[in-house]
Amino acid sequence: MDLGIRGRVALVAASTGGLGRAVAQALADEGASVVVAGRRGELAQQIAATLPEAVAVQADLSAPGGPQALVEAAREAYGDPDILVLNGPGPRPGAAADLDTGDFAAAVDSLLLAQQRLVALTLPAMRRRGWGRILAIGSSGIATPLPGLALSNAGRAALAAYLKTLATEVAADGVTVNLLLPGRIATDRVAALDAARAEREQRSVTEIEAASKATIPAGRYGTPAEFGASAAFLCGLPASYITGTALRCDGGLVRSL
């Protein structure tokens, strides 16, 4: 399938590892010019060097002016982005009862406010051109809040509500707005969460992984490449009539429709 994004400019936030990197790779493989962004500038450069057409930008979206600097660097390299992939590091695990206001404020700033700033900076050009894709890498916790991840559940749910509202406002301008929700994808983040659970429960990581896989109808963790391919489709021309939706890439983990 030709996704129709060859030559499009894709800005992928937090793409120096995990799911962000997988999405950057998938978009680059489809012919997009990709802006690889992350706090680790040297790593961003290494990743960009492996892609067919890409530049690297060191960016801290939580820093004052961070989103503005990232978008300006993308424009300098390729022009206004056609595709914006929202992503950010997951906040630390924690039970809701054990967290304070400062913890939640930091999570909302990272998972909602920084992403909204990126949208505000890139959306006007998309609307003028009559074509754009905004895709957020979310979490299955949006559909079913995950135990021990109160900060992630709250921040990502807020982002989902904002994006759902936005989708209805810009659909007539040719801009789609969607979320892609991973289940258990084999990334460093999931490995860290498994290790933390193993320590809490005084069990081995192997036992934790086996128990987790037993809850997934597919019987395994997903691969970053599978997630990236799903993201690339939602950013492509064939997905022009899909907007305001949250697609799960989870092997059947979430039981609801």
Side-chain angles (χ1 to χ4, degrees), residues 54-68:
V55 296
V57 178
Q58 183 172 1
D60 183 353
L61 297 181
S62 63
Q68 179 76 40

Side-chain angles (χ1 to χ4, degrees), residues 2-12 23-36 48 51-55 78 82-85 131 232 235-236:
D2 181 3
L3 297 185
I5 57 175
R6 183 168 300 279
R8 295 285 187 183
V9 177
L11 170 55
V12 186
V23 173
Q25 180 70 60
L27 291 172
D29 290 344
E30 291 295 329
S33 299
V34 177
V35 179
V36 178
L51 302 179
E53 179 59 46
V55 296
Y78 294 126
D82 303 291
I83 298 167
L84 172 64
V85 179
W131 198 98
C235 292

Side-chain angles (χ1 to χ4, degrees), residues 62-79:
S62 63
Q68 179 76 40
L70 173 56
V71 173
E72 288 178 354
R75 287 177 178 145
E76 183 177 348
Y78 294 126

Side-chain angles (χ1 to χ4, degrees), residues 150-167:
L151 294 177
S152 177
N153 293 336
R156 297 187 195 281
L159 177 64
Y162 160 67
L163 293 176
K164 176 61 176 177
T165 306
L166 179 68

Side-chain angles (χ1 to χ4, degrees), residues 50 52 89 257:
T50 69
L257 288 173

